[in-house]
Amino acid sequence: MRPHLPASPRSRSPASGALDAVDLESFASQLEDLRARALADVATADDPAELDDVDSSYLGRKGELRTLLGGIGQLAAEDRPKVGALANPIREELEAAVAARRARLLEIALEVRLARERVDVTLPGRAMPRGSLHPLIETQGEIARIFGQFGFVTYESPEVETDELNFQALNIPADHPARDLWDTLYVAGTDRHWALRTHTSPGQIRIMRETAPPIRALLPGRCYRYEAVDASHGFEFFQAEGLMVDEGTTMAHLRGLLDEFAHGMFGPQTGTRFRPGYYPFTEPSVAFDISCTICGGVGCPACKRTGWLTILGAGMVHPVVLTNGGLDPERYQGFAFGMGIDRITMLRHGIPDIRALLDNDMRFMEKF
Ligand code: DAH
């Protein structure tokens, strides 16, 4: 038996076999030799491509077996069928061996893949940094949640407003001194027709004109003023406006609602009070104070030693404003309030400087 050569099966020359095979015995021994080499090559083929090569070099159309059998003509006529009888089982055996090896190679490939892709479920997971809402957005959501419990629906109102809605409809005439309360940014080239809203109050007019009472609306959003920026003033800030209009609405409703708000936002221990205030669009007007969140009402620098912090302005909607909203002030009454979301956020989280809220410094943001 020839020693098995590890060289590629294709490098072996099958042609010599045909010439050597001149009698039955030599045919038989060459067949046996072929069988042994083929089985060894099949067994050592390490991947499907190599197995294909082995397959075609022995069993293919130009393979050794066919070439060998091509020499059958040199045999005596009666010996030829015997060669066939010898060769056919060998061919079948080799075909079966190739098929078995092919199946095994697929199995091995799968095993390798499974081993490589094994997931160790006991390893600790890779931590996903958790995102968070911007503290202003989060506070706005909390405000909406609290007033939502009392039936207040949150609306959007435009940031670019007409002078008419931002001022005149709210009972602030063009040359009224009360305008000095709001340093306004006008849109260039519009002859002061369009302004960036200085407060969320113009949304009151829009709501009254667009919906019929009973109205319970919350209008949060960004506002702008021509302000010198410091630790407590931004030229860009956030307010939330509230408006309730119905028959028989009184200041007692306002008082009770704002108490609920203060307790919901700052805790049940929070003290509250109304102080007289002035706004052109409400009459009477009040400032709503809560007991100082830092000292609890004793008096400290944060509350200028008064024990109180003003968190919003409010009042009963002025009849002129109701009329401008298309409502009959003889039939309907309402209250309104407006708060600075920035200020509420700063109080909740003890943030000393309003500028931190819009700086978008990640070291600050990640604290929330
Ligand atoms: N718009 C006022 C401001 O920006 C806040 C305000 C006060 C709103 C009283 C109101 C209100 O609705 O009734 O300073």
Side-chain angles (χ1 to χ4, degrees):
M1 197 181 281
R2 280 196 350 218
H4 169 64
L5 300 172
S8 153
R10 265 180 305 197
S11 68
R12 235 174 264 125
S13 164
S16 59
L19 295 175
D20 295 349
V22 286
D23 58 34
L24 184 58
E25 210 174 308
S26 114
F27 248 112
S29 85
Q30 286 191 59
L31 272 173
E32 183 48 39
D33 171 65
L34 182 152
R35 172 183 170 273
R37 281 185 292 110
L39 285 177
D41 285 351
V42 167
T44 53
D46 277 343
D47 62 65
E50 194 183 334
L51 185 62
D52 285 345
D53 283 349
V54 172
D55 187 14
S56 58
S57 72
Y58 288 105
L59 301 173
R61 256 191 329 119
K62 295 190 175 146
E64 268 194 60
L65 187 61
R66 280 207 178 215
T67 310
L68 184 63
L69 295 177
I72 203 167
Q74 302 165 32
L75 288 181
E78 73 271 18
D79 283 344
R80 291 178 198 167
K82 294 181 189 155
V83 171
L86 286 174
N88 282 338
I90 290 177
R91 179 202 308 283
E92 279 162 22
E93 183 188 0
L94 293 181
E95 281 171 356
V98 167
R101 182 66 186 160
R102 196 179 300 285
R104 178 69 195 130
L105 285 179
L106 286 178
E107 244 173 61
I108 290 171
L110 182 64
E111 281 162 19
V112 166
R113 214 182 118 195
L114 286 178
R116 195 177 45 224
E117 294 176 5
R118 167 167 298 140
V119 174
D120 183 350
V121 293
T122 65
L123 283 177
R126 233 165 285 158
M128 262 275 251
R130 217 179 137 187
S132 61
L133 291 177
H134 189 285
L136 282 172
I137 301 298
E138 194 261 326
T139 300
Q140 177 176 314
E142 185 63 6
I143 293 169
R145 188 189 68 78
I146 295 172
F147 285 105
Q149 293 174 325
F150 299 96
F152 281 72
V153 175
T154 300
Y155 291 86
E156 279 266 347
S157 192
E159 290 175 23
V160 179
E161 230 353 321
T162 59
D163 183 84
E164 195 246 324
L165 261 63
N166 194 76
F167 293 117
Q168 292 161 60
L170 290 168
N171 199 29
I172 312 167
D175 42 12
H176 195 282
R179 283 216 178 197
D180 295 347
L181 293 175
W182 297 276
D183 299 301
T184 309
L185 292 159
Y186 286 94
V187 178
T190 65
D191 199 19
R192 297 201 164 202
H193 178 72
W194 293 102
L196 300 185
R197 65 176 175 189
T198 59
H199 49 180
T200 44
S201 301
Q204 289 186 30
I205 304 293
R206 291 179 176 274
I207 293 291
M208 284 189 275
R209 289 181 181 173
E210 285 163 26
T211 60
I215 294 169
R216 269 176 276 183
L218 191 74
L219 295 142
R222 206 182 284 258
C223 303
Y224 306 85
R225 284 184 202 173
Y226 185 61
E227 291 265 12
V229 174
D230 63 24
S232 50
H233 297 86
F235 69 88
E236 188 184 9
F237 54 95
F238 292 78
Q239 285 192 343
E241 190 85 9
L243 174 70
M244 170 156 177
V245 180
D246 201 353
E247 294 177 31
T249 307
T250 73
M251 207 146 178
H253 298 130
L254 174 64
R255 184 77 168 89
L257 179 70
L258 293 182
D259 271 5
E260 293 293 342
F261 169 67
H263 294 152
M265 184 59 87
F266 297 103
Q269 77 293 345
T270 311
T272 62
R273 73 174 184 187
F274 269 3
R275 279 187 301 118
Y278 169 73
Y279 296 98
F281 30 85
T282 41
E283 182 60 39
S285 302
V286 296
F288 182 66
D289 296 352
I290 58 170
S291 54
C292 178
T293 51
I294 309 281
C295 65
V298 183
C300 70
C303 56
K304 301 201 183 84
R305 317 225 165 264
T306 64
W308 295 97
L309 299 166
T310 302
I311 59 163
L312 57 83
M316 299 305 292
V317 181
H318 197 289
V320 167
V321 175
L322 286 170
T323 307
N324 290 338
L327 301 176
D328 175 4
E330 296 296 327
R331 178 169 174 200
Y332 294 110
Q333 301 75 43
F335 61 71
F337 54 87
M339 68 184 82
I341 300 178
D342 308 72
R343 179 153 167 78
I344 307 273
T345 306
M346 290 163 73
L347 290 175
R348 287 177 82 202
H349 299 294
I351 300 167
D353 192 323
I354 193 173
R355 288 169 288 200
L357 291 171
L358 292 183
D359 273 354
N360 291 330
D361 181 334
M362 284 309 286
R363 289 166 301 180
F364 171 76
M365 290 303 159
E366 279 166 358
K367 296 245 173 352
F368 300 94

